[in-house]
Amino acid sequence: MKIRKALAATFGTLAMSLISISPASADSSGWQNLGNSNFHSCGTYCHTDVFSSGGGYVRTYLYTPSSNIKSVQVWEYDPDNADDFIITLDLADYWYKDCYVGNFTDGSNGEAEIYYRYSDSVFTGGDFVQVYD
C-alpha cells in the first residue's frame, strides 16, 4: 500500500511538471501574448511602450473608444541609432492586423523592439494595443 501511495505521488508530481512546462501564454493558434500598452500623448505623436519580438510576424489589436479608423505606425526602437519605420496599419476598434518584423531583429538579444505611434491630432484617450508574437 505504501508503494502505491509513493508511486501515485511520484506520477502526480511528474504530471504536474509536464503541465507547467507547456507554453502558458500561447493561445490555441500559437500566438504568444506580449502584453498591452496604452498610447501616451507626448506632443506630435502618441506612442506605446516597447514590446520585444523574436522576429517573424506580430499580431496587433487596437482598442479605442472612437469609431474612427486610425493609421497606426509600427516602429523598431534602437537606442544607438534613429528608430526604424516598419509599416502603417489602418485599424479601428477591435480590428487586428499581422505584420512582419523579422527584418528588424538586432542587438545582442536578436529581437525586434517594436512600438506603435500615431498622430497626436487623432488622440482620443483610452486607446491601447494588444500585441502577440
Side-chain angles (χ1 to χ4, degrees):
M1 187 67 171
K2 288 183 182 180
I3 294 174
R4 281 189 189 167
K5 286 182 181 180
L7 285 175
T10 302
F11 285 121
T13 303
L14 178 61
M16 290 306 292
S17 66
L18 291 175
I19 291 170
S20 65
I21 61 171
S22 64
S25 59
D27 68 13
S28 62
S29 63
W31 291 99
Q32 180 180 355
N33 185 352
L34 297 181
N36 62 54
S37 174
N38 289 321
F39 281 87
H40 313 286
S41 180
C42 62
T44 307
Y45 290 99
C46 298
H47 64 88
T48 65
D49 296 334
V50 175
F51 300 91
S52 292
S53 166
Y57 285 88
V58 293
R59 176 167 286 178
T60 306
Y61 286 85
L62 175 69
Y63 299 95
T64 178
S66 82
S67 59
N68 299 333
I69 294 176
K70 295 187 177 182
S71 294
V72 177
Q73 299 174 345
V74 183
W75 288 79
E76 201 272 332
Y77 172 73
D78 193 339
D80 300 324
N81 300 305
D83 293 353
D84 296 314
F85 171 76
I86 298 175
I87 193 170
T88 298
L89 305 174
D90 291 326
L91 296 167
D93 194 29
Y94 297 109
W95 288 13
Y96 77 85
K97 288 196 177 176
D98 301 338
C99 67
Y100 187 73
V101 298
N103 296 336
F104 296 92
T105 56
D106 60 7
S108 61
N109 63 3
E111 295 185 335
E113 293 82 15
I114 60 170
Y115 66 94
Y116 300 84
R117 75 179 200 184
Y118 61 80
S119 172
D120 196 51
S121 65
V122 296
F123 182 66
T124 56
D127 298 346
F128 71 95
V129 291
Q130 182 77 39
V131 183
Y132 295 85
D133 193 14

